[in-house]
Amino acid sequence: MKTTLLGALRGPLLGIAVASLVLGSGPTYAQSAQDQLDERYNRALAAGYKALFLCGAIANAERNGSERREESVHEWELTGVYSAIDPIVRDLDYRVLRDADGYITHVEVDWTDDMPPRFADAERGDGCRLAPIGLAPSMPETAVLGSEQSSDTDKANEPASFNFVIEGGGKAPPYKPTAIDQVLADAHEDKYGEGTRTTAALVRINREGNGLVESARYTAGFDNETPQRTWSVAKSIAATLVGVAAHRGLLDVKDRTGREEWQRDARRAITVDHLLRMASGRYSDTPGNRTDPLYAGGSLVEETATDWPLINMPGTQFRYANNDTLMAVKAISDRHEDFDPAAFFKAVGKEHTVAETDWAGDYILSSQVWSTASDLADLGQLHLNDGVLPSGERILPEGWVEYISTPSGPQPDGPFGYGAGWWLMNKSEGIPSDTFAAFGNRGQYVVVVPSRNVVIVRRGEDPAGSRFDIAAFTRDVLAALPE
């Protein structure tokens, strides 16, 4: 009986085996199709990433009266990006287009033969915005193909610069320039992380009666007028804008967001405070600073950040996610159509900072801000002064700094705590417990130490997988300064 049954099955089984060898098994064959789809998507993302960064780096530098050449952007912003697109991004063909006056209009990047190129559109004074995949770029008659050229060919080869200035009058305090010189120089080497790439390191001290003492070191090709993308440091800028709105009485952090589509379910309980503390309880595609459809795909804030479902009750679970910050900003813009971060930047003297938008005009304040090291030091200085400008005008509520630096919500695992839009260095040995900081991808840091009246800024373009040790750098900076 067994032999007969085996013989009866041998033919069909052999046929299945042969078919599997010829066609490939079901899972393997399906995976191959998925691999092809992923490869195409990664090329589209790489093209969008390249278009946006070429456009942003060049246009925002020109806005400041400085320049960025395409070669520099390829070397810094387009090198060391995450693994899925890093092997692709630098080799994609591109075009930088300008109008008859020489201003950049947009950047196009080719990625496949059967779809239009990806492109980012430059708006004078307002940075760049990335178009959705499949949208064909406009070709105004005044646009001309061109590449970045510099009349100062030696600029890119200048050695790192070092500035030591005193502002506000008064005599220099008992400062140790040689000690801080060495720490800033070390930041440009591998002392604080193998393979890291520092572009700027800055220390600003507020000495009562002596004004501000600032010391900074820049790598070749960068200076105090060179903007870089802030990445998630923008989240702390977004939290500051929420503070400005709260001071004006436009909202309260305990307010619910008011999103109409959330009123039908438990998401109606989400407050602005929950969003600032990364505690909305919503799911999202990826934690951290990866929101590929928005950042490189050209999708919109409205369609990317809004519709994720609730999987934890608001206020009970920490999940670091771009979408929470984006919805905190929407809580302002939904209420006030004239919401304009540029007015805030102008008020605090951040002349070289631009917040960019999606294709529909919503600000991408989880990441897409371009700013200089000096402007970011001004952001830290504003918080060091408890929200009061040098003119004496208060633009943040009294107690706001205590609010954003208090770990009253659910906390992340790891060496740092979290307040409201700012990280906390309250668990870092050798660092004052009142220290709070803005952290961003690729090594962007703004550290505020109220008890020492110090702001520390580090800018970089660190490759994926490397990490600058901001705690060690902060300890060394503070050790080099007098108590």
Side-chain angles (χ1 to χ4, degrees):
M1 180 69 179
K2 291 180 181 179
T3 302
T4 304
L5 179 59
L6 181 62
L9 292 174
R10 182 175 290 118
L13 288 173
L14 181 60
I16 292 171
V18 171
S20 297
L21 289 173
V22 174
L23 298 177
S25 64
T28 301
Y29 190 70
Q31 184 62 40
S32 176
Q34 184 63 48
D35 286 346
Q36 293 176 21
L37 185 64
D38 289 344
E39 180 181 356
R40 184 177 177 90
Y41 183 50
N42 287 335
R43 285 187 66 83
L45 292 179
Y49 191 101
K50 182 168 186 171
L52 185 58
F53 272 86
L54 276 171
C55 183
I58 295 169
N60 288 309
E62 288 178 351
R63 174 182 177 272
N64 293 353
S66 58
E67 73 171 356
R68 289 295 303 281
R69 290 180 288 185
E70 297 165 24
E71 295 81 4
S72 172
V73 182
H74 278 86
E75 178 185 358
W76 292 97
E77 282 88 349
L78 297 179
T79 294
V81 299
Y82 61 92
S83 59
I85 69 172
D86 189 67
I88 307 169
V89 67
R90 287 174 298 282
D91 293 333
L92 294 173
D93 291 334
Y94 69 94
R95 293 167 295 283
V96 176
L97 289 91
R98 296 179 178 275
D99 63 19
D101 296 324
Y103 290 100
I104 183 172
T105 59
H106 59 281
V107 174
E108 300 175 4
V109 180
D110 297 323
W111 64 283
T112 185
D113 291 336
D114 59 348
M115 290 282 279
R118 299 298 311 279
F119 74 96
D121 210 11
E123 299 289 336
R124 294 190 194 181
D126 294 323
C128 297
R129 56 179 187 161
L130 181 64
I133 297 172
L135 187 64
S138 60
M139 295 293 290
E141 294 181 2
T142 56
V144 293
L145 296 178
S147 60
E148 300 307 297
Q149 296 180 353
S150 173
S151 59
D152 183 3
T153 58
D154 294 330
K155 183 175 181 181
N157 298 317
E158 290 177 356
S161 61
F162 176 77
N163 300 317
F164 177 75
V165 299
I166 299 175
E167 299 177 353
K171 296 177 63 176
Y175 191 66
K176 299 179 181 178
T178 55
I180 201 65
D181 283 357
Q182 186 58 57
V183 178
L184 296 180
D186 288 344
H188 288 263
E189 304 299 334
D190 279 350
K191 179 175 180 179
Y192 299 106
E194 184 177 355
T196 57
R197 302 191 304 164
T198 297
T199 55
L202 180 153
V203 178
R204 182 181 292 180
I205 313 164
N206 189 353
R207 294 295 187 193
E208 187 174 352
N210 289 302
L212 302 180
V213 179
E214 182 174 301
S215 185
R217 188 179 181 94
Y218 297 89
T219 200
F222 292 80
D223 58 31
N224 63 349
E225 293 185 348
T226 305
Q228 292 175 258
R229 181 155 157 168
T230 63
W231 292 98
S232 289
V233 167
K235 293 180 173 67
S236 301
I237 295 174
T240 305
L241 289 166
V242 171
V244 172
H247 181 65
R248 294 177 180 173
L250 303 180
L251 58 71
D252 188 285
V253 294
K254 298 300 183 182
D255 289 345
R256 297 183 179 186
T257 64
R259 294 292 297 186
E260 182 178 350
E261 61 268 40
W262 289 4
Q263 302 310 303
R264 298 186 293 270
D265 57 52
R267 290 178 297 177
R268 63 181 176 272
I270 297 173
T271 66
V272 175
D273 178 71
H274 291 144
L275 296 169
L276 291 179
R277 295 189 183 279
M278 303 293 178
S280 70
R282 297 187 304 150
Y283 183 72
S284 58
D285 46 355
T286 55
N289 55 21
R290 288 282 301 278
T291 307
D292 292 345
L294 177 64
Y295 287 1
S299 67
L300 306 180
V301 170
E302 188 66 40
E303 63 190 2
T304 303
T306 301
D307 296 332
W308 294 98
L310 203 71
I311 58 173
N312 291 289
M313 290 307 295
T316 64
Q317 185 71 33
F318 179 92
R319 179 179 173 83
Y320 186 76
N322 296 322
N323 292 334
D324 276 8
T325 298
L326 292 169
M327 294 310 296
V329 173
K330 288 290 286 180
I332 306 175
S333 61
D334 285 349
R335 288 171 169 85
H336 307 283
E337 295 182 357
D338 60 348
F339 172 64
D340 181 12
F344 163 73
F345 298 147
K346 183 177 181 180
V348 299
K350 294 163 71 67
E351 300 293 337
H352 304 310
T353 298
V354 171
E356 296 180 330
T357 72
D358 66 11
W359 199 248
D362 276 323
Y363 288 97
I364 309 178
L365 278 164
S366 57
S367 172
Q368 205 164 311
V369 175
W370 289 77
S371 188
T372 62
S374 182
D375 272 11
L376 292 183
D378 290 340
L379 175 70
Q381 188 71 42
L382 175 67
H383 289 79
L384 203 61
N385 295 341
D386 193 35
V388 177
L389 296 174
S391 65
E393 179 188 0
R394 173 172 288 281
I395 64 171
L396 296 175
E398 289 188 33
W400 182 259
V401 171
E402 181 180 1
Y403 164 69
I404 58 100
S405 61
T406 299
S408 63
Q411 292 297 290
D413 296 329
F416 304 110
Y418 203 78
W422 292 76
W423 290 92
L424 310 179
M425 301 180 75
N426 55 348
K427 298 185 286 184
S428 301
E429 184 178 353
I431 296 175
S433 60
D434 63 348
T435 303
F436 57 97
F439 292 173
N441 188 34
R442 306 204 70 175
Q444 321 308 318
Y445 298 102
V446 182
V447 180
V448 184
V449 191
S451 58
R452 296 290 300 274
N453 286 319
V454 171
V455 176
I456 301 166
V457 177
R458 188 268 183 177
R459 308 302 308 273
E461 294 293 343
D462 298 338
S466 65
R467 183 173 293 277
F468 185 87
D469 190 342
I470 188 59
F473 179 57
T474 299
R475 278 194 296 269
D476 287 352
V477 166
L478 295 178
L481 302 175
E483 291 286 348

